[in-house]
Amino acid sequence: MATEAISPAEIHKALSSQRLCKNIHYFEMLESTNITAQKLARQGALEGEIVVAEQQTHGKGRLGRNWSSPPRTNLYLSLILRPKLLPAHTPQITLMAAVAVADTVASFLPMAPEIKWPNDILVQGKKIAGILTESSCDSERVLFVILGIGVNLNYSKARMPETIRDKATSLLELTQRPVDRSAFAARLIHNLDQCYGSLEKSGFPGISSRWEGYFRLRGKQVRVEMPDGHTSGKALGIDMDGALILEGKGGDPERILAGDVIPITV
């Protein structure tokens, strides 16, 4: 169901004291909020500037996948960050954002969401949100990170493409009530502000422990599909670089930097 337009004014009003809402670039339609945010970042946009679109014609998911983005239905948002991190530690931004998204989704639901490593938010086993981070770095520092977030809010199952209908869900489907998208966006930005501030002030351990609280596959056997093959083992959690740690058949730990995690059911 299509709903009222997102209101940057309402979001600003709710976040008057937040730093991660310096300027909202609002568009009725974009190819991708991440693409537009990258252009703005290269032109000198400040940390905390946000791109929001009512519709994306080529929404970007991980591994080159498309993110279904119908008009005035869900939330499509990209945030420009300029973190003081080493390039090797940029995956921490994805994990930080996953905590903020999970916290926000949880505040609208009676049931708890979970994080599927590294960047999907699931409810009752179905995907409700995804995160795509894209960074620009030189040899020594991070120039900027584009944090793209898509959340299914007022997306009815009947409107979803058949390819995702059995794998995806939305707040509308879970609660049978439409969501105020501006209010959801404001709460999400607030939670991102808090989590990002915690990462800067206290480092990754605090965020990591909160991430683990949403991770339901610890101690379970999983298969990981990677660009160059696959592997399997017991999921042990994540390390300081955001890599997934598996215990293989020989008992030795294996670090996974990228891939899709699939639980192995016995």
Side-chain angles (χ1 to χ4, degrees):
M1 60 177 295
T3 52
E4 291 185 2
I6 289 174
S7 170
E10 288 184 21
I11 296 172
H12 273 301
K13 183 177 179 181
L15 298 171
S16 58
S17 63
Q18 305 296 305
R19 62 174 182 160
L20 294 188
C21 195
K22 288 187 172 67
N23 189 16
I24 298 177
H25 303 268
Y26 172 85
F27 300 88
E28 193 67 38
M29 181 187 296
L30 285 177
E31 179 182 6
S32 157
T33 59
N34 263 32
I35 290 174
T36 298
Q38 284 179 18
K39 293 177 181 177
L40 291 170
R42 292 192 184 100
Q43 293 167 4
L46 299 175
E47 176 168 80
E49 295 199 35
I50 294 170
V51 176
V52 175
E54 295 288 3
Q55 180 180 7
Q56 297 181 114
T57 57
H58 292 86
K60 299 170 67 176
R62 285 180 65 239
L63 307 176
R65 295 167 180 157
N66 179 63
W67 184 268
S68 179
S69 308
R72 297 200 176 195
T73 302
N74 302 317
L75 178 64
Y76 321 116
L77 173 153
S78 292
L79 175 65
I80 298 170
L81 298 176
R82 298 187 182 274
K84 297 177 178 65
L85 290 174
L86 294 173
H89 291 164
T90 54
Q92 295 178 3
I93 297 293
T94 301
L95 301 172
M96 174 279 295
V99 172
V101 176
D103 283 349
T104 308
V105 169
S107 70
F108 282 79
L109 289 174
M111 66 285 285
E114 64 180 283
I115 296 175
K116 177 187 174 186
W117 180 87
N119 64 341
D120 289 344
I121 310 301
L122 310 182
V123 180
Q124 297 180 339
K126 294 185 177 183
K127 185 171 178 176
I128 194 169
I131 300 163
L132 177 64
T133 51
E134 299 177 298
S135 59
S136 176
C137 310
D138 61 23
S139 60
E140 298 180 351
R141 65 192 180 104
V142 178
L143 302 177
F144 63 81
V145 173
I146 304 303
L147 175 58
I149 298 173
V151 188
N152 292 335
L153 298 180
N154 296 318
Y155 207 2
S156 66
K157 184 175 181 179
R159 292 185 64 205
M160 294 179 186
E162 289 187 10
T163 53
I164 67 169
R165 196 169 292 167
D166 294 332
K167 305 173 184 177
T169 190
S170 69
L171 287 183
L172 176 67
E173 284 292 322
L174 292 164
T175 66
Q176 298 301 304
R177 297 190 305 272
V179 178
D180 182 325
R181 294 183 302 132
S182 298
F184 184 95
R187 193 173 303 179
L188 172 60
I189 296 165
H190 170 79
N191 288 337
L192 285 167
D193 191 286
Q194 297 298 308
C195 288
Y196 186 56
S198 176
L199 179 64
E200 285 189 318
K201 182 178 180 181
S202 305
F204 189 57
I207 291 295
S208 174
S209 63
R210 293 177 62 187
W211 189 96
E212 294 273 6
Y214 284 112
F215 185 55
R216 305 286 187 260
L217 293 178
R218 173 183 283 275
K220 296 183 180 180
Q221 292 293 321
V222 299
R223 175 185 173 96
V224 184
E225 299 285 349
M226 300 176 291
D228 57 350
H230 62 84
T231 188
S232 61
K234 182 191 292 184
L236 300 180
I238 55 174
D239 68 10
M240 287 298 294
D241 294 327
L244 179 68
I245 307 301
L246 296 185
E247 181 184 282
K249 293 181 180 179
D252 295 327
E254 180 180 2
R255 295 177 75 248
I256 309 297
L257 297 175
D260 283 335
V261 178
I262 304 168
I264 297 176
T265 56
V266 179

